[in-house]
Amino acid sequence: MAEVTLIKAINDALATEMARDPSVCVLGEDIGRGGGVFRATEGLSRRFGPERVIDTPLNEVGIVGMAIGMAMNGLRPVAEIEFSDFIYPAFDQIVSEMAKMRYRSAGQFTAAVVLRAPAGGGIRGGHYHSQSPEAYYIHTAGLVVAMPSTPADAKGLLSSAIRGEDPVIFLEPKALYRTVKGEVPEGEYLVPLGVGRIVRPGSDVTLVTWGGMVPVAEKAAADAATEGVDVEIIDPRTLWPLDIAMIEASVKRTGRAVVLHEAPRTCGFGAEISALIQERCFLHLKAPVARVTGFDTPFPFALEPSYLPDPERTLRAIRASMDF
Amino acid sequence: MTDAGILSVLRPDGTADPLLDPGLPDPELLSLYRHMVLLRAIDEKAVALQRSGRIAFFAPSTGQEACSIGAGHAVREGDWIFPAYRDHGVGLMRGYPLASLIGQLFGHTTDATRGRQMPNHWCDRSIRLVSVSSPVATQLTHAVGAAYAAKVRGERVAVLATFGDGGTSTGDFHAAMNFTGVFRLPVVFFCENNRYAISHPVERQTASRTLSEKAAGYGLPGVRVDGNDVLAVRKVVGDAMERARAGEGGTLIEALTYRLGPHSTSDDPTVYRSEAEVAGWREKDPIRRFAAFLKGRGLLEDPAAEEAGAKEIVRAAVEVAEGAPPVPLSSMFEDVYAEIPWHLAEQRDSLLSGTG
Ligand SMILES: Cc1ncc(C[n+]2csc(CCOP(=O)(O)OP(=O)(O)O)c2C)c(N)n1
């Protein structure tokens, strides 16, 4: 097994799935000869040809709508949106068309599209290159929302998404594209959707987090360990449908829960996870569920380091939970 | 809007222009007529059903029958149809069962889509009649994707997408036309310019002289056709579909027509258009016009009997659909995902057990 970056693992997943199944196509802006602005599709055009690696005009409505029609007519499209911040023109196509095709036609038509989009901050990209939009999609019936935090998960989850029968919003933590490396199995490799990962086992506090915040959580947990606090980190990997069983079992054991995400706090996914924990683990809780999140402001360019949760803020929440 | 360059086949005297006549055999001509009559009978019944509170809503196509029946007749097996909500006639012409169509109005168990959407939102995979969405023109980019898939598989099929003049103002329209031109796809964009988008006249949708001329900006041919002339629509759409099947790319067709009734059962058209305007268009009724042609050809004897027959067919279909059992409560949670995930199973169980 080779050590590769997260972006390379995504490229590997696309190439592997395209080689396995001729109906898999990728489409988007600059993805062909350009190989994508983050190089996720590098080399695919040469290998699979421009009919399956489709450079589209600059129009997100067109990309998503076209992908829906391709999926309805037997292809397995993987559409790339250059940054998740640029999806909004196509939001209607996603939430009203792609997500609902199966339901509104009672299963006669489906739109199993995978929409890949770099998300999150940490790259000094300012407001339009840093947002964390997962809650919009989690709130939408019919969508699967996944976000990997390791190269192996990136490959395995993306491959499962491509083979699945539901539309998937596949958010990629762009801050981790080249900053994390890890072993990735060669050839076909699947990580099932809907199953979380215990990043680090622990017995005192359950810390639920995903995407670009996983390394932050790991640092905070290491710091907490020096203070004698044993943190269990859970990365759901698929945000929706959530692996609630894994979280529930963990919180019932530890009695404490902290949710960490970089998206704004209000109506963020942390709110939903907190509610689920309260509903399911109330009698086991020794402290209120805590949230460490981005602020309810637009994403700030200059103040990005203060906006994004860091190990320090996370550690404070862990301590507060322990001291409650 | 000008009246320039509008192609007609049926002349005012009730004969057909021999140079443009698509030359359909007699039984086909009669079938076009009968479908137009059936479509109007459905309209009348559906509006009455809504007025008496038996269905929730309806958007009629009265006045536009030549468009959807003519276009529907140009669709062949293997072709795809991405219709707007007013184009049930296209599906009907392709063989969409009347029982399913009427069943959809009620949303009971005879609705193949299980009461998931309001009336006018039909679909039937077996004839590639794709699910209608309410947001205007969203189906146009889907047509592009379906056409792309057909093209890469080397299938000689065409994709018909229908929409109104209001649809030409949307971003989806631009995206779909542009993609079709760039990828040279077999999509026929059939725009029924019925002069209004709810209360907005077409002059408020565009400053261009015609809608068809927009095609040039996307590298596609644009054609204007008399939308109250079923033979002209059949010819123009048929030619465009043939071009598409032959790999020659897409076409934008602007059919000039008029919606004689309200936009929908929620609309009062008297506040935005004059009785004189409507009366003028009533003179151009596409069904009466085609009936005159058929009579001249000796193919039609008694239009009143045809209309009565259609009404009876619709009445019987309504009786069956209205009497069908309601969809089961549990179906609300099905088809959201390919398999029911835990949270929907929990919500379903709590609803069914009365604990939710
Ligand atoms: C995106 C969107 N905006 C607004 C509406 C509300 N609406 C429903 S029909 C309609 C007018 C559509 O007119 P047109 O496209 O000309 O079709 P017609 O109804 O005349 O057949 C409007 C504004 C809608 N359905 N979708």
Side-chain angles (χ1 to χ4, degrees):
Chain A
M1 269 199 294
E3 281 252 319
V4 299
T5 59
L6 197 144
I7 192 77
K8 185 79 191 94
I10 286 165
N11 183 269
D12 184 6
L14 293 172
T16 306
E17 292 304 305
M18 289 184 82
R20 186 188 65 87
D21 177 355
S23 66
V24 177
C25 295
V26 300
L27 67 156
E29 295 154 13
D30 307 303
I31 65 155
R33 284 169 71 175
V37 290
F38 288 103
R39 302 277 170 272
T41 54
E42 197 159 48
L44 298 181
S45 184
R46 224 176 314 117
R47 185 163 165 202
F48 300 105
E51 262 189 0
R52 291 180 64 196
V53 183
I54 311 159
D55 265 326
T56 69
L58 197 167
N59 188 299
E60 280 66 25
V61 174
I63 293 170
V64 177
M66 177 172 170
I68 292 169
M70 290 166 73
M72 290 170 83
N73 195 3
L75 296 180
R76 291 205 162 256
V78 185
E80 173 175 306
I81 303 290
E82 278 187 350
F83 287 84
S84 67
D85 313 70
F86 305 139
I87 285 185
Y88 302 114
F91 198 61
D92 171 58
Q93 283 289 347
I94 295 171
V95 303
S96 295
E97 306 295 316
M98 182 171 112
K100 305 300 192 298
M101 193 60 76
R102 178 186 294 278
Y103 196 73
R104 74 185 209 209
S105 68
Q108 292 190 62
F109 294 98
T110 58
V113 172
V114 179
L115 217 55
R116 295 182 35 246
I123 59 146
R124 295 192 50 76
H127 169 66
Y128 290 109
H129 302 81
S130 304
Q131 299 173 78
S132 294
E134 61 267 28
Y136 297 127
Y137 306 112
I138 294 167
H139 195 60
T140 297
L143 295 179
V144 171
V145 184
M147 192 168 194
S149 64
T150 67
D153 280 358
K155 177 170 176 177
L157 289 168
L158 182 54
S159 299
S160 294
I162 292 169
R163 295 187 195 188
E165 298 304 326
D166 292 312
V168 179
I169 304 293
F170 196 80
L171 298 173
E172 299 169 2
K174 63 176 100 64
L176 306 189
Y177 268 155
R178 291 171 200 283
T179 59
V180 304
K181 277 195 168 184
E183 305 250 303
V184 174
E186 273 155 41
E188 294 182 27
Y189 174 63
L190 298 173
V191 171
L193 295 166
V195 180
R197 171 172 77 100
I198 296 181
V199 179
R200 178 193 194 281
S203 54
D204 294 329
V205 187
T206 301
L207 177 53
V208 182
T209 193
W210 53 90
M213 286 292 109
V214 170
V216 172
E218 287 180 295
K219 176 74 173 59
D223 293 345
T226 66
E227 299 176 9
V229 178
D230 191 15
V231 177
E232 173 149 303
I233 303 175
I234 292 177
D235 172 4
R237 305 194 282 196
T238 303
L239 303 186
W240 203 254
L242 181 69
D243 188 350
I244 188 62
M246 178 179 280
I247 295 171
E248 187 176 337
S250 174
V251 174
K252 283 186 174 160
R253 210 160 20 77
T254 62
R256 294 185 168 88
V258 175
V259 190
L260 165 66
H261 62 65
E262 50 179 290
R265 169 170 305 220
T266 302
C267 293
F269 190 41
E272 179 61 39
I273 295 178
S274 303
L276 286 166
I277 292 172
Q278 313 274 11
E279 285 168 3
R280 283 154 201 266
C281 310
F282 186 68
L283 294 177
H284 300 264
L285 288 176
K286 300 173 195 152
V289 181
R291 283 183 286 168
V292 185
T293 68
F295 299 104
D296 289 339
T297 70
F299 195 98
F301 175 68
L303 298 175
E304 170 170 4
S306 306
Y307 178 89
L308 287 174
D310 58 9
E312 191 56 42
R313 270 165 69 193
T314 310
L315 188 59
R316 278 206 295 276
I318 292 168
R319 284 196 199 115
S321 179
M322 292 303 293
D323 295 346
F324 181 79
Chain B
M1 285 287 123
T2 70
D3 281 346
I6 303 171
L7 186 139
S8 292
V9 172
L10 292 173
R11 296 171 173 142
D13 66 2
T15 62
D17 180 338
L19 291 178
L20 297 171
D21 187 347
L24 300 177
D26 291 349
E28 300 282 305
L29 293 172
L30 207 52
S31 164
L32 287 178
Y33 174 75
R34 290 199 164 129
H35 278 92
M36 288 166 78
V37 170
L38 180 61
L39 197 51
R40 189 160 296 185
I42 293 168
D43 264 21
E44 283 170 7
K45 185 69 178 178
V47 170
L49 288 170
Q50 194 279 337
R51 297 284 181 242
S52 57
R54 288 153 69 191
I55 65 171
F57 170 90
F58 194 73
S61 60
T62 295
Q64 298 180 220
E65 290 91 347
C67 286
S68 47
I69 298 301
H73 188 263
V75 180
R76 293 231 198 100
E77 199 175 331
D79 292 341
W80 287 74
I81 308 164
F82 288 78
Y85 48 77
R86 211 182 293 288
D87 270 318
H88 30 304
V90 178
L92 204 60
M93 198 61 216
R94 263 293 282 139
Y96 182 46
L98 184 72
S100 305
L101 191 154
I102 300 289
Q104 202 277 332
L105 302 179
F106 287 92
H108 297 164
T109 41
T110 54
D111 173 6
T113 57
R114 313 177 87 191
R116 294 278 168 73
Q117 295 209 81
M118 66 198 291
N120 283 84
H121 293 67
W122 297 273
C123 77
D124 186 345
R125 190 174 174 94
S126 71
I127 52 167
R128 298 187 165 177
L129 174 73
V130 170
S131 170
V132 174
S133 62
S134 296
V136 165
T138 53
Q139 74 276 18
L140 303 185
T141 53
H142 307 168
V144 167
Y148 189 92
K151 184 176 167 167
V152 296
R153 277 200 298 267
E155 293 172 3
R156 292 175 74 83
V157 300
V159 177
L160 176 70
T162 76
F163 53 104
D165 40 303
T168 64
S169 297
T170 64
D172 292 68
F173 169 78
H174 165 70
M177 296 279 289
N178 193 40
F179 276 49
T180 297
V182 167
F183 294 122
R184 212 175 153 78
L185 297 176
V187 186
V188 175
F189 295 93
F190 184 66
C191 174
E192 292 172 44
N193 177 359
N194 64 10
R195 315 263 167 165
Y196 289 91
I198 310 189
S199 70
H200 271 43
V202 63
E203 289 77 14
R204 265 294 164 112
Q205 298 298 339
T206 182
S208 64
R209 265 179 347 112
T210 69
L211 296 175
S212 62
E213 73 194 43
K214 289 172 185 264
Y218 303 99
L220 301 177
V223 188
R224 292 189 108 194
V225 65
D226 182 341
N228 282 25
D229 175 346
V230 68
L231 294 183
V233 171
R234 170 60 181 78
K235 167 156 182 60
V236 166
V237 178
D239 289 353
M241 297 288 275
E242 271 310 319
R243 255 177 47 79
R245 290 185 202 107
E248 290 166 32
T251 305
L252 171 64
I253 297 168
E254 175 187 5
L256 285 122
T257 184
Y258 195 81
R259 145 167 78 68
L260 287 170
H263 168 75
S264 75
T265 46
S266 315
D267 174 50
D268 175 9
T270 62
V271 302
Y272 56 79
R273 56 187 203 185
S274 70
E275 190 40 51
E277 179 183 298
V278 181
W281 278 95
R282 216 171 265 132
E283 291 303 305
K284 302 180 191 169
D285 186 315
I287 297 183
R288 234 188 310 148
R289 188 162 160 199
F290 194 45
F293 165 79
L294 292 176
K295 274 187 182 163
R297 292 267 296 246
L299 293 174
L300 179 67
E301 278 170 16
D302 188 356
E306 296 284 345
E307 284 161 27
K311 279 189 177 138
E312 179 48 33
I313 290 169
V314 174
R315 194 202 57 74
V318 165
E319 198 172 292
V320 173
E322 196 168 23
V327 290
L329 203 48
S330 60
S331 75
M332 178 155 59
F333 301 92
E334 293 160 8
D335 302 316
V336 182
Y337 295 92
E339 279 164 24
I340 297 180
W342 65 268
H343 67 290
L344 289 179
E346 286 186 0
Q347 290 168 25
R348 176 198 58 203
D349 294 347
S350 71
L351 177 67
L352 294 182
S353 66
T355 57

